Amino acid sequence: MIKIAVANGDGIGPEIMEAVLTIFKAADVPLSYEYVDMGKWVFDKGFSNGMTDEAKATIEALGILFKGPMETPKGKGVKSINVTARKTWNTYANKRTFQTLHGVDTVFSKAGIPIDLTIVRENIEDTYGGVEHMLSNDVAISRRFITRPGSEQVIRYAFEMAREKKAKKITCGHKANIMKLTDGIFLNTFYEIAKQYPELEANDIIVDDLCMKLVMRPGMFDVIVLTNLQGDIVSDLCAGLVGGLGFAPSANIGDNICIFEAVHGTAPDIAGKNIANPTALLLSGLAMLQHLGLYGKAALIENALLYTLEQGNHTGDFGDKSIPALNTTQFADAIIANFGKQPASGARPELADVPKEHKVAKMDINLMMDNPAKEEEKIAGVDFFLITNQFPNTVAEKCKQALGENKLHLINISNRGTQVWPTGSVYTNLVDLYNVRFEAGDGVEVKQADIVALYEKMTCYFDVATVEVLQKHGGEKAYSLAQGQ
Ligand code: NAD
């Protein structure tokens, strides 16, 4: 028996979890369960991260969490329990598989176009850090963290997974044409790692083009790896290709802890009625069985599910409306009754079980993901973000006065990322936050103290919202240029 942690979740969570674990029991799946207290209901009892200390300790000891959906408590400053769990335990890769399910009608199934895609989405970084600030009354900014070690973790996982599933092709979706530093790190890391997997055809595509091609010719793709937000959007697009969120499973993979859950939420509108569709949670559970090497059990259940769908069985959220809908329990019972049956198309191969013990490394301190190949970092200048509604020439004049004898020079001024000084257009609309850039001449050494001195002077003329130190890495500018610079 392999022991895993189970959290029922909120809303429809307990109903669909019961359905799935009933199916597992009927299939003699060799798992035992330790139920943990986690979800909105735990948050309501005063646990600010939505789980008890015992739940946290159990999950960290067992390493596998099978969870139902959890409601995000409403209110400013309250973070999603789901996102907190994924980030706290460094489940850096979110893997979602999308395959045609016969019996689930979609425009593609009707046109005879098969879908077989795996999306690996980075799961920790990007704008999901939720690090946001109002810089002025009118301007909000969000920090987008893309790191080299974080990109390496998820991209290596994607390549390993593609190799294991004997995929032919792996594609990196990105927007590096616009976000040259953030998406640039992700894309460069992808091609660095690709060199170690010569058997896989590795290519890249700009994410908007990817969306169009996925809809027009989904067969062009096999495994796709993306950053967090782009991956979130693209994977829901793929869920739409195979019938919607009711059929979208997800696995959150980390080195120590893995979380398996459906993509959908708590469906408060149908909670407590025993009518929810358990398929997405069941498919997530099957991904968990495969992760644990229980391939035979996973195939037995999946083939029964596919057969059940092919026979026209459905819950109220999909399927042929002329056939009466089954409730959650009846749908689970129908799958159990079909154990041993093979679907007419798309049957999964019945491999033998090779149970794998899931190991959690004992950690006493956090892991520092340091990069030994760091380039030399030097300060090149500073960007000041100023709250003012004065016009660009006036801002420039005052900046020059603030500069005085400082070794930095005023280079340019931009507004919403578009240059408005020394050159610009009167047709560029302005908001009350300017970005003023100062740089030192080549070969001039800049210290933090030079920036502090300038900061002090700038406050005589402006309200400073924030500053950003400009760096050179290995002699190259490590910051973006303003549009029009
Ligand atoms: P939702 O996915 O819960 O519901 C959207 C629609 O899909 C609803 O009409 C719902 O009835 C239907 N639906 C969803 N799952 C279904 C199922 N299994 N069977 C039949 N119909 C189903 O999205 P929402 O309403 O935006 O979110 C509700 C709550 O869930 C929010 O608090 C949200 O934060 C949370 N949420 C949690 C997770 C998670 O736990 N991973 C994911 C998404 C949303």
Side-chain angles (χ1 to χ4, degrees):
M1 283 278 177
I2 305 170
K3 197 174 199 183
I4 63 162
V6 172
N8 281 333
D10 304 304
I12 58 170
E15 303 158 44
I16 54 175
M17 185 61 81
E18 190 188 338
V20 171
L21 296 189
T22 304
I23 295 169
F24 280 9
K25 186 162 184 238
D28 278 331
V29 170
L31 290 182
S32 68
Y33 311 112
E34 191 154 334
Y35 287 86
V36 294
D37 293 343
M38 196 176 168
K40 164 78 163 47
W41 64 277
V42 182
F43 179 88
D44 289 342
K45 286 186 173 174
F47 294 88
S48 61
N49 59 359
M51 69 184 99
T52 60
D53 292 346
E54 294 78 38
K56 183 166 177 275
T58 303
I59 294 161
E60 289 183 359
L62 298 177
I64 300 276
L65 171 65
F66 189 32
K67 72 177 273 293
M70 292 174 188
E71 186 182 330
T72 301
K74 292 197 175 62
K76 268 194 177 168
V78 181
K79 302 239 174 183
S80 154
I81 299 162
N82 307 299
V83 176
T84 303
R86 288 172 212 153
K87 287 167 65 81
T88 307
W89 291 313
N90 207 55
T91 61
Y92 49 78
N94 182 266
K95 176 186 161 205
R96 300 189 189 176
T97 45
F98 304 94
Q99 289 178 318
T100 303
L101 297 165
H102 296 274
V104 182
D105 278 348
T106 65
V107 280
F108 293 95
S109 67
K110 284 180 186 156
I113 301 171
I115 309 276
D116 186 1
L117 293 163
T118 305
I119 305 279
V120 177
R121 160 191 167 195
E122 196 286 318
N123 217 15
I124 313 261
E125 305 192 337
D126 205 333
T127 46
Y128 285 68
V131 181
E132 300 200 324
H133 297 90
M134 293 298 299
L135 290 194
S136 73
N137 247 297
D138 289 346
V139 181
I141 62 151
S142 170
R143 291 290 174 125
R144 180 168 192 246
F145 294 91
I146 302 289
T147 72
R148 227 179 285 279
S151 301
E152 261 173 41
Q153 279 190 320
V154 64
I155 291 169
R156 185 164 303 284
Y157 168 77
F159 273 95
E160 281 296 316
M161 189 272 301
R163 176 178 271 174
E164 196 176 316
K165 93 183 250 285
K166 299 194 170 40
K168 293 203 164 41
K169 202 174 181 183
I170 178 162
T171 304
C172 177
H174 64 89
K175 196 74 186 169
N177 53 331
I178 305 294
M179 291 174 278
K180 295 185 195 300
L181 296 184
T182 47
D183 274 27
I185 284 190
F186 197 76
L187 183 58
N188 290 341
T189 306
F190 174 82
Y191 279 118
E192 272 307 308
I193 292 180
K195 289 179 196 157
Q196 296 156 31
Y197 298 82
E199 76 277 22
L200 283 163
E201 181 193 333
N203 60 13
D204 71 278
I205 184 166
I206 293 179
V207 67
D208 32 343
D209 191 20
L210 170 65
C211 289
M212 181 185 70
K213 295 212 165 88
L214 276 169
V215 172
M216 292 185 71
R217 279 183 289 154
M220 281 178 69
F221 303 99
D222 191 342
V223 173
I224 308 172
V225 60
L226 299 121
T227 52
N228 203 341
L229 177 59
Q230 294 169 22
D232 193 7
I233 296 166
V234 170
S235 47
D236 271 20
L237 182 150
C238 292
L241 303 181
V242 295
L245 287 182
F247 303 93
S250 107
N252 301 285
I253 306 290
D255 288 339
N256 291 295
I257 294 163
C258 299
I259 305 172
F260 296 86
E261 61 181 339
V263 169
H264 63 71
T266 58
D269 48 336
I270 56 167
K273 297 182 180 161
N274 193 32
I275 57 171
N277 179 0
T279 308
L281 187 65
L282 179 60
L283 291 171
S284 313
L286 298 182
M288 177 176 70
L289 299 189
Q290 283 160 351
H291 182 83
L292 295 170
L294 301 171
Y295 307 111
K297 294 291 181 202
L300 170 79
I301 298 170
E302 192 165 4
N303 283 331
L305 164 71
L306 297 176
Y307 183 87
T308 305
L309 292 170
E310 265 182 9
Q311 299 301 303
N313 295 293
H314 64 93
T315 46
D317 54 308
F318 75 100
D320 183 347
K321 297 291 172 217
S322 67
I323 303 173
L326 302 179
N327 68 26
T328 311
T329 314
Q330 290 165 335
F331 190 72
D333 289 343
I335 294 170
I336 293 168
N338 289 328
F339 280 170
K341 304 239 171 75
Q342 295 292 315
S345 47
R348 307 296 184 239
E350 296 204 351
L351 307 170
D353 284 341
V354 192
K356 292 183 207 161
E357 199 192 334
H358 182 82
K359 289 206 179 78
V360 182
K362 184 102 189 70
M363 309 280 267
D364 296 321
I365 47 166
N366 300 70
L367 177 72
M368 177 63 73
M369 300 194 294
D370 220 357
N371 170 12
K374 270 203 179 97
E375 291 177 316
E376 189 192 28
E377 295 169 359
K378 281 203 164 154
I379 299 177
V382 60
D383 274 355
F384 276 79
F385 290 80
L386 308 174
I387 308 167
T388 174
N389 54 13
Q390 299 173 83
F391 288 102
N393 280 337
T394 316
V395 175
E397 277 318 304
K398 290 186 175 173
C399 286
K400 284 181 194 162
Q401 286 170 32
L403 260 179
E405 297 299 303
N406 199 299
K407 60 179 75 152
L408 293 160
H409 307 290
L410 177 62
I411 300 298
N412 77 322
I413 300 176
S414 58
N415 196 291
R416 289 193 284 172
T418 304
Q419 179 170 293
V420 291
W421 186 93
T423 56
S425 164
V426 288
Y427 293 103
T428 303
N429 289 355
L430 306 172
V431 295
D432 66 355
L433 188 90
Y434 283 90
N435 177 4
V436 176
R437 175 159 293 176
F438 298 95
E439 286 176 3
D442 277 343
V444 178
E445 196 186 346
V446 185
K447 298 227 158 67
Q448 294 275 350
D450 300 314
I451 293 172
V452 174
L454 181 56
Y455 193 123
E456 209 174 345
K457 289 275 180 53
M458 290 291 276
T459 57
C460 301
Y461 299 89
F462 302 104
D463 286 331
V464 177
T466 183
V467 295
E468 206 72 63
V469 175
L470 304 177
Q471 298 190 9
K472 279 190 176 172
H473 292 172
E476 296 290 323
K477 284 184 180 180
Y479 47 93
S480 60
L481 300 183
Q483 202 76 41
Q485 188 180 347

